[in-house]
Amino acid sequence: MPKARNGDVAIEYEVFGEGPETILLINGLGSQMTRWPEAFCAKLAAKGYRAVRFDNRDTGLSTWFEPGQAYTLSDMAADAMAVLDAVGAAKAHVAGVSMGGMIGQVAAIEHPDRTLSLTSIMSATGGPGTMDSTPAAAAVLSTPPPNPQADFEAFVAHGVNNALTIGSPGYPWPQGALRARVIAEHGRAFNPTGSARQMAAIRAYGDRTERLKTLRLPTIVLHGADDPLVPLAGGQATAAAIPGSELRVIASMGHDLPPALFDIVADAILDAAERAK
């Protein structure tokens, strides 16, 4: 697949569809672009858009960093702009999930001339109380996985349990789908240290509330009522900060994107894009 370049950083990306307008999909902490599944991207392409997904730096097939190296959400937003450059898009509708929502917010703040609309999904402003996870969900981020070379089955079980811990109680995954995802993601790329640097990037940027108040673009904020990792307060604060934004709270939705939620999430992205016309 092709790669975009932001200085010395190479960003792996993939394009679906040939529509005249681009939807840029940004994924979350430590997760690869495949967390925006092909079937989901196809839904956006079927509506006449060009959907672009990519691996954030320190994830997947994009550039990995070394211990001691640091970057910020501004750098990650610049990576997203480099992807737009690579696909020849002057502007895009930006949609991000979790940390990806934060990167999308920064893209809208720092690159307003390139951001047509924003869909911030299960994300937050970085303000006080907006990222207070439950203890069980916090452990998902802080507990390292078993060594896959020493005990691959334990590694897989750990990944499945993590997904279930933060997942959507009202939108279960198909039988065996989470196990298959853990195995596929490990086979594609396994960078166990990248998440810590990405978390540091989130902390380094801090509270975006005042800067979000300056935004003037169509925005939909989508959040699960039962999100244990980024609480509903994160979505509420985001919607309160961005003028004219719409908050959509989904009952029994947690912190994931199972197939049963594809239409709900796609509709939010497409509605935000339509409002930019």
Side-chain angles (χ1 to χ4, degrees):
M1 291 184 192
K3 283 184 167 64
R5 292 279 173 177
N6 179 19
D8 294 333
V9 179
I11 303 295
E12 182 88 358
Y13 69 90
E14 187 173 10
V15 178
F16 298 83
E18 300 177 351
E21 295 188 11
T22 298
I23 295 175
L24 186 66
L25 301 169
I26 313 176
N27 46 289
L29 186 79
S31 62
Q32 303 179 49
M33 67 178 178
T34 49
R35 291 287 181 98
W36 294 103
E38 291 187 13
F40 180 85
C41 296
K43 286 182 176 291
L44 303 180
K47 294 296 184 178
Y49 290 90
R50 178 173 59 163
V52 181
R53 64 180 187 176
F54 66 96
D55 286 327
N56 287 313
R57 60 171 62 196
D58 241 348
T59 305
L61 303 180
S62 292
T63 297
W64 295 1
F65 285 67
E66 299 294 331
Q69 292 182 301
Y71 45 84
T72 71
L73 291 180
S74 293
D75 297 315
M76 301 182 83
D79 293 340
M81 297 303 102
V83 172
L84 292 186
D85 291 339
V87 301
K91 301 179 180 182
H93 304 282
V94 175
V97 60
S98 196
M99 180 188 72
M102 301 173 196
I103 297 169
Q105 293 169 21
V106 174
I109 291 167
E110 299 183 0
H111 308 277
D113 57 325
R114 307 197 68 180
T115 311
L116 291 168
S117 69
L118 175 65
T119 309
S120 183
I121 305 161
M122 57 184 99
S123 194
T125 62
T130 63
M131 296 191 295
D132 293 343
S133 307
T134 67
V140 168
L141 298 182
S142 61
T143 305
N147 184 340
Q149 294 181 322
D151 191 339
F152 189 69
E153 282 303 315
F155 172 83
V156 172
H158 174 87
V160 171
N161 183 67
N162 280 353
L164 293 173
T165 297
I166 65 173
S168 300
Y171 300 90
W173 286 79
Q175 184 69 29
L178 287 173
R179 174 181 170 82
R181 188 181 75 176
V182 173
I183 293 171
E185 288 181 348
H186 175 268
R188 183 173 183 266
F190 177 57
N191 179 17
T193 66
S195 292
R197 288 185 290 274
Q198 291 180 350
M199 183 61 76
I202 293 172
R203 295 194 186 99
Y205 200 94
D207 186 353
R208 289 173 295 283
T209 301
E210 292 305 312
R211 281 165 283 190
L212 290 172
K213 290 179 181 179
T214 69
L215 296 184
R216 299 293 184 272
L217 79 169
T219 300
I220 292 179
V221 178
L222 184 70
H223 216 102
D226 296 295
D227 191 328
L229 190 65
V230 179
L232 178 57
Q236 291 169 329
T238 303
I242 301 175
S245 62
E246 177 192 349
L247 174 63
R248 297 184 181 182
V249 179
I250 309 303
S252 298
M253 175 182 169
H255 199 85
D256 64 348
L257 181 54
L261 279 171
F262 282 4
D263 286 341
I264 289 173
V265 175
D267 285 348
I269 296 170
L270 293 167
D271 286 352
E274 287 296 313
R275 293 176 190 181
K277 295 182 178 179

